[in-house]
Amino acid sequence: MKEHRGRLTKDGIRIYEPADFAGMHAAGALAARILDDIADHVFVGQTTGEIDRLITKMVEDAGAESATIGYKGYQHASCISVNHVVCHGIPGDKKLKDGDILNIDVTVIVDGWYGDTSRMYVAGKLPRKAERLIQVTHDALFKGIETVKPGKTFGDIGHAIQAYVEAHRMSVVRDFCGHGLGRVFHAPPNVLHYGRPGTGAVLEEGMFFTIEPMVNLGRPETKTLSDDWTAVTRDKSLSAQFEHSVGVTADGVEIFTLSPGDKFHPTYSS
Ligand code: MF3
Ligand code: CO
Ligand code: CO
């Protein structure tokens, strides 16, 4: 039987024990370290398939497990979403071109705990418009994270992200959201990246979830390609995403997927 920890709130959100934070930190640190280490392998002419093979090996070498290989039929250790791909890009043999921006999303399982994080990379020279998009998306994630503490609501998180993004005349994707995680990959609640203050479930100490806003330079609508995974912007505009796994503490938040090399934000260029 599946191991259960803690208790469930009336909204079906699991409340973990203080001792469970250590497991999440271990899983989150590995996912983040892999994203640090992959940075040197992102360059013009590289394929997303090769990046994914390297990630697969890093997960194996760490003695961990990929959460995405075999998940609903997905066959890769990462999702790699280039330019107008919003999320769930499938690694393949297309070569990165100068000025391409890409999100790499990795989820690992360490001792049964899930660590899920993604960030943006660039091949070659970062175009000015893409730089703005990446900066706003990164800062929007932190607007959401800064909102997290007991007594706030999930609507407060969504509102903080949406208000920030729309103030910069960009749009928040509605079709995908963050999620509870812990001993499972995807659990309640749906963490929306838009919303109204004071709505939704109330945050409590011991909740673990991701915040992972997707932001488009154009309109928010997406469509999923015939491979049933790749989500793209309908208007072909550029899209960016950053994701952290976090836990609610007595007085705020802990980020489980902090970059050990402080490489979360792509101010560097490969
Ligand atoms: N890591 C993604 C998330 O943030 C989920 C990817 S599922 C996959 O929730 F199957 F596409 F890999
Ligand atoms: Co996630
Ligand atoms: Co993810």
Side-chain angles (χ1 to χ4, degrees), residues 68 71 74 79 88 105 107 116 179 185-186 212 229 243:
T68 54
Y71 177 77
Y74 195 78
C79 295
H88 301 166
D105 189 339
T107 311
D116 184 5
H179 48 92
F185 195 173
H186 292 110
E212 49 182 298
W229 282 106
E243 175 176 24

Side-chain angles (χ1 to χ4, degrees), residues 135-207:
Q135 183 74 50
V136 167
T137 308
H138 172 276
D139 293 352
L141 166 60
F142 280 89
K143 294 286 174 194
I145 292 173
E146 284 161 15
T147 306
V148 175
K149 72 178 203 180
K152 295 284 187 177
T153 70
F154 283 96
D156 293 334
I157 298 174
H159 176 76
I161 293 167
Q162 180 182 14
Y164 187 79
V165 168
E166 293 180 354
H168 288 84
R169 310 219 147 271
M170 298 178 193
S171 65
V172 173
V173 169
R174 313 295 205 264
D175 299 338
F176 300 92
C177 56
H179 48 92
L181 84 173
R183 303 290 287 177
V184 292
F185 195 173
H186 292 110
N190 286 331
V191 180
L192 306 183
H193 305 112
Y194 59 94
R196 293 200 318 279
T199 64
V202 177
L203 304 190
E204 290 180 44
E205 181 180 359
M207 287 180 176

